Amino acid sequence: MMSSALSVGAPAPDFTLPATGSDIRLGDLKGRKVVLYFYPKDDTSGCTKEAIAFNGLRAEFAAAGAEIIGVSPDGLASHDAFREKYGLEFPLASDAEKAMLKAYGAWGERNTYGKITLGVIRTTVLIDAEGRVARVWPKVKVDGHADEVLAAVKAL
């Protein structure tokens, strides 16, 4: 099930989600590169490390013409607290219904310490300025990931 819904070069699935600040709609970002990173839960160790890494490179992503958006099923109150606690300066979108997570192949079976559960599969999708999928990173390992995504954004 993992990211089989997405093909490089295909149009990225459109979405509108509530987010910190205001709703985010993919169509409103046309003309910009978009980094969507899907993470399981606010304020957990791996998710915090990933968010801080993306936030630390925020200016470089912006200089390369890219928007960063974090997406999880957590609600806006949780997102707001997470952003404030760590000084995150990019939006976090809430997909409580999990429709967008499923459309992007970031929801499904995952193995957590030997137990199979349904949940967010840590995934990153790079969308080009025309709204097409440029790259997909399935089953992300956090260490060094933000740097790798930044390099791909700069190469677009």
Side-chain angles (χ1 to χ4, degrees):
M1 289 183 63
M2 190 46 238
S3 61
S4 60
L6 296 181
S7 299
V8 171
D14 198 13
F15 63 86
T16 302
L17 289 176
T20 51
S22 63
D23 288 0
I24 294 178
R25 185 177 160 276
L26 182 60
D28 293 342
L29 298 171
K30 201 131 190 172
R32 307 263 311 153
K33 300 168 197 169
V34 179
V35 174
L36 293 175
Y37 84 91
F38 300 93
Y39 66 98
K41 188 155 183 55
D42 291 336
D43 209 10
T44 56
S45 62
C47 298
T48 299
K49 188 174 182 179
E50 185 175 27
I52 289 170
F54 274 114
N55 199 61
L57 296 171
R58 188 184 67 266
E60 291 181 63
F61 277 100
E67 301 283 339
I68 302 166
I69 302 167
V71 182
S72 88
D74 290 332
L76 292 182
S78 177
H79 282 348
D80 284 336
F82 186 42
R83 283 183 79 217
E84 186 172 328
K85 183 174 180 179
Y86 295 101
L88 304 178
E89 296 185 31
F90 54 84
L92 299 177
S94 175
D95 186 15
E97 303 299 317
K98 302 170 190 78
M100 187 241 199
L101 287 160
K102 291 174 184 173
Y104 278 83
W107 181 265
E109 284 187 358
R110 57 186 215 161
N111 188 333
T112 308
Y113 305 110
K115 183 179 178 189
I116 303 297
T117 59
L118 276 182
V120 175
I121 301 163
R122 194 181 303 275
T123 303
T124 301
V125 178
L126 174 58
I127 301 169
D128 68 19
E130 286 75 47
R132 298 193 172 280
V133 175
R135 179 122 183 237
V136 179
W137 288 266
K139 298 181 182 175
V140 166
K141 301 292 183 225
V142 173
D143 289 337
H145 179 63
D147 291 307
E148 184 181 346
V149 176
L150 178 60
V153 166
K154 288 178 174 179
L156 263 186

